[in-house]
Amino acid sequence: MYVNMASKELRASLGKYISPLLFSQDIHSDVNVDIALDWSDHALWWPDKNKWLTRARSTLDQYNVQADARLEFTPMHKNLKVVLPDLQVQGMSIDCSVKCFTAVVQICKELGIRRPEELSFMRKWDREDLKRVAKDTHKRKKKGDNDVVNSPLSANSTHMHNSQGSLDGGKLSPYPSRSPSGPSPNSTLARGSPHNLSSPLSGYSTLNGGSSGRLSSSALSPGSMHSLEGIMESSLANSRPIPAKEAFQYLHRPKNFSEKARVNCAWLDSSVSLTEQGIRENDFIMLKFKFYNFYDLNPKYDAIRINQIYEQARWALISEEIDCTEEEMMVFAALQLQIQQQACLPQPDLDASGSHNNLSNSHGEEDEIDAALKDLQESLEGSAVSSHGDITHIPELCGYVKFFKPRKLTLKSYKRYYATFKDTFISFYRSKEESQGPPVMARIDVRGCEAQPDVNLSAKKYGIKLFVPEPEGMSEIFLRFDIEEQYCRWMAACKLASTGRTMADSSYEAEVRALQSFLGMQHSVASPTSPHNSSQNTTQSSNNTTINSINQADIQPEDFVAGRFFRKIKSKSLVTRIMEAHNNVQDMSLMEAKLAYINAWQSLPEYGITYFKIKMANSKKEELMGIASNRIIRMDLNSGDSLKTWRYNTMQTWHVNWEVDHVILEFENEKVTFGACELSCKTIHEFIGGYIFLSMRASDKNQSLNEEMFHKLTGGWHE
């Protein structure tokens, strides 16, 4: 609707019933407004300036609205199709006039997801859209146009989401830039159980349980809001499996690091409203976890959040957004199988700490009080840390290690040394007897290093690939160990040293146990067939009976492993290996398996790294910049090898030069300047500021979300 004032009476009506906006000038035309309707959700939208006029106390003069301006009087809430991390599509009404971050907070509150600051919206792009992104960038380079603000990659672009000039009408295709003949959400989300289980929901288990965007009437009892909430919570906390072929309509399958970086052009600007970023009525939009710094995962309160994190991790592995070894992939597939099986079974109750509650219901209230008191005590005194022996003793690792430092035109030959790891330094000696003297080479300081596992359990190969920071860049070092126990302890020490901590830290033993647990799940174990294993408690026996009755023909390996493994290994062999790996995890409950999946995902070398294609200042070579929760990594675009790493705790300032669109990072000893190749530097700036914001979260679990601080750290100054 176009707002054009012709009389004082109409202006008074609009001012009284629509908003307290004071219209300061006449814009001649006719208006047909029904003032009896509720206009509380309406506001003025200025298409030519791409902005909302929402400041109620401002006049049109103050907005610089001229007589020939076209203003649209439209609802602020728009119906959008939100694709969740588990690929369910929720038809939701979202306020498109507020900042994107505020809209995410509102949506997470409605969905029951805690810690909304970890999530954000992405555009729904497919491979063709991403190809056009690369072509448009190439054309701009040929023309010498360095302005990316008006490009299809920028946050304010409307090129990719054209809804024929209407704020209220849109295409029903999940690919808004093309014809509406794309795959419909109904075909993608018609989820049947792989084991032919009955379901209370028809169609797919989302809030929009049918094509009309409403729940099926047969799913709810009349007038029961508790039924609605229960069904919605159940569908979000336990997602039904989707065949990979259908899921790939909503997923990207990057083939190289360049494509992995291009996918991140789709993130929306958190400080700009959805409408100002080209999102229109009925558009598809993706809600995903943006910052990989998960805080306070509590199984009792975060069933939905844990499930959505698990689903995003699962699809990232299957779509090959993140790489893993063959043995690791079998572990992930086994955990996925266990989760799908346990989702069909009743689960034990959880207490506040997330552990299983086997006590009677009469003590439930008392248990909650005890748990609350325990949380209070830990918050006041800190968690209990066992410190046996002399607390002044500095932990040290020592033993024979195979060492190799690659050089140009040299063969990969390891040399055996007696090595010691103390504080953050590794020293090498020819033998144990010489360890009291000087080392054979200079001590290696691994503070701020990048530690990547180089493990092959079938070949009994336990190695660590270290990228050690040096003034000129990152130095590559290979370490190899004889036994698994030694590898786990050295790997845990390297991980702590990468963050500036030593083995004296209380988290060292927990890190060692986590590594041992992950490797333990990768060992092949024969199926338990002895009669002793079946004589356990009733619940355990029931679960095992259900698990052992699974027919291998029901397992479709392409839905459990990444495509490269499916192409490499025969289908029958894959199913056999998945079942063998499943023997290690078949005693886990549903929540234990999901948390084990998330922990294993977090152990991968590429976990939590968001890639961007950049150019360093005064350089024409394209490189890769990885933004993680605790560091920034300069990488090779082709191989992904680390060239240099900077930690946030050494960063003094970070800002953007908007005139040349460069990110400027100032550290203790150097200044780093680079520009983005395929998107605005605002996106990179937001990732850095977002991680700094998340690192500032206090131990108080009831703290309120400081949106003003988030925008202060992520937004910067941008016209």
Side-chain angles (χ1 to χ4, degrees), residues 478-646:
F478 291 87
L479 301 177
R480 185 167 291 182
F481 309 91
D482 296 329
I483 58 176
E484 184 178 308
E485 171 73 15
Q486 187 184 23
Y487 160 78
C488 292
R489 294 203 164 272
W490 280 73
M491 187 65 182
C494 290
K495 283 189 174 183
L496 291 178
S498 67
T499 59
R501 293 176 292 171
T502 68
M503 289 174 282
D505 192 271
S506 60
S507 62
Y508 172 69
E509 292 297 333
E511 187 69 39
V512 173
R513 288 193 298 269
L515 290 169
Q516 291 172 339
S517 175
F518 186 40
L519 290 179
M521 288 189 291
Q522 299 179 45
H523 290 293
S524 59
V525 177
S527 300
T529 56
S530 65
H532 299 286
N533 294 329
S534 60
S535 57
Q536 296 178 0
N537 59 63
T538 305
T539 304
Q540 182 77 22
S541 177
S542 175
N543 291 354
N544 286 341
T545 301
T546 305
I547 291 170
N548 293 331
S549 64
I550 297 299
N551 189 349
Q552 293 191 10
D554 293 335
I555 301 177
Q556 301 298 326
E558 63 270 21
D559 297 335
F560 288 82
V561 301
R564 66 180 184 277
F565 300 115
F566 181 72
R567 293 186 295 267
K568 177 183 176 182
I569 309 173
K570 292 183 179 180
S571 180
K572 291 184 179 180
S573 300
L574 267 177
V575 174
T576 303
R577 294 189 60 180
I578 292 173
M579 294 299 293
E580 290 176 352
H582 180 256
N583 293 327
N584 292 318
V585 299
Q586 64 179 349
D587 294 331
M588 289 186 178
S589 66
L590 177 62
M591 191 57 67
E592 288 173 345
K594 286 182 180 179
L595 291 175
Y597 198 106
I598 294 172
N599 291 333
W601 175 49
Q602 293 174 324
S603 300
L604 298 177
E606 290 187 17
Y607 163 76
I609 303 177
T610 306
Y611 301 102
F612 299 97
K613 195 184 293 185
I614 59 103
K615 283 184 180 178
M616 301 299 292
N618 303 321
S619 174
K620 296 183 179 180
K621 180 183 178 182
E622 290 185 344
E623 297 181 88
L624 202 64
M625 189 67 75
I627 309 297
S629 62
N630 56 359
R631 66 197 188 281
I632 301 171
I633 316 164
R634 181 182 175 187
M635 311 168 76
D636 183 84
L637 182 60
N638 297 319
S639 64
D641 291 339
S642 299
L643 302 177
K644 196 160 188 179
T645 300
W646 301 277

Side-chain angles (χ1 to χ4, degrees), residues 59 74 194 229 269 335 379 553 677:
T59 65
T74 180
E229 294 175 358
D269 191 335
L335 287 169
S379 64
C677 294

Side-chain angles (χ1 to χ4, degrees), residues 38-72:
D38 181 12
W39 303 105
S40 60
D41 188 47
H42 285 61
L44 292 176
W45 166 255
W46 192 354
D48 293 338
K49 296 295 185 180
N50 194 44
K51 65 190 298 185
W52 287 93
L53 309 185
T54 55
R55 296 197 305 269
R57 295 184 179 274
S58 298
T59 65
L60 294 182
D61 274 339
Q62 292 173 324
Y63 274 113
N64 294 322
V65 176
Q66 303 299 319
D68 59 346
R70 189 189 74 173
L71 303 179
E72 297 184 10

Side-chain angles (χ1 to χ4, degrees), residues 100-113:
C100 179
F101 183 81
T102 305
V104 170
V105 173
Q106 295 172 354
I107 291 302
C108 288
K109 184 177 181 180
E110 185 173 346
L111 294 174
I113 300 176

Side-chain angles (χ1 to χ4, degrees), residues 244 248 314-320 329 336 558-563:
F248 286 145
R314 180 168 74 91
W315 289 118
L317 286 160
I318 294 178
S319 63
E320 301 182 54
M329 190 76 254
Q336 179 183 336
E558 63 270 21
D559 297 335
F560 288 82
V561 301

Side-chain angles (χ1 to χ4, degrees), residues 61 122 292 316 355 381 468 473 559 569 578 596:
D61 274 339
M122 290 185 79
Y292 298 93
S355 60
E381 301 178 359
V468 181
D559 297 335
I569 309 173
I578 292 173

Side-chain angles (χ1 to χ4, degrees), residues 166-265:
S166 171
L167 278 166
D168 302 316
K171 301 178 181 179
L172 297 179
S173 167
Y175 308 120
S177 57
R178 296 201 299 280
S179 66
S181 61
S184 68
N186 293 339
S187 64
T188 300
L189 295 169
R191 303 181 181 186
S193 173
H195 309 304
N196 299 321
L197 297 172
S198 61
S199 170
L201 282 179
S202 60
Y204 49 91
S205 58
T206 65
L207 185 60
N208 52 338
S211 58
S212 63
R214 300 176 184 271
L215 275 167
S216 171
S217 59
S218 62
L220 298 177
S221 59
S224 174
M225 280 304 298
H226 296 289
S227 300
L228 173 62
E229 294 175 358
I231 290 176
M232 179 179 176
E233 181 178 355
S234 176
S235 66
L236 296 176
N238 293 307
S239 307
R240 298 186 183 176
I242 309 176
K245 291 181 180 179
E246 296 180 4
F248 286 145
Q249 300 175 75
Y250 287 82
L251 297 172
H252 306 294
R253 302 181 71 180
K255 295 181 179 180
N256 49 48
F257 284 100
S258 181
E259 292 189 6
K260 288 182 181 181
R262 194 168 297 138
V263 168
N264 292 310
C265 299

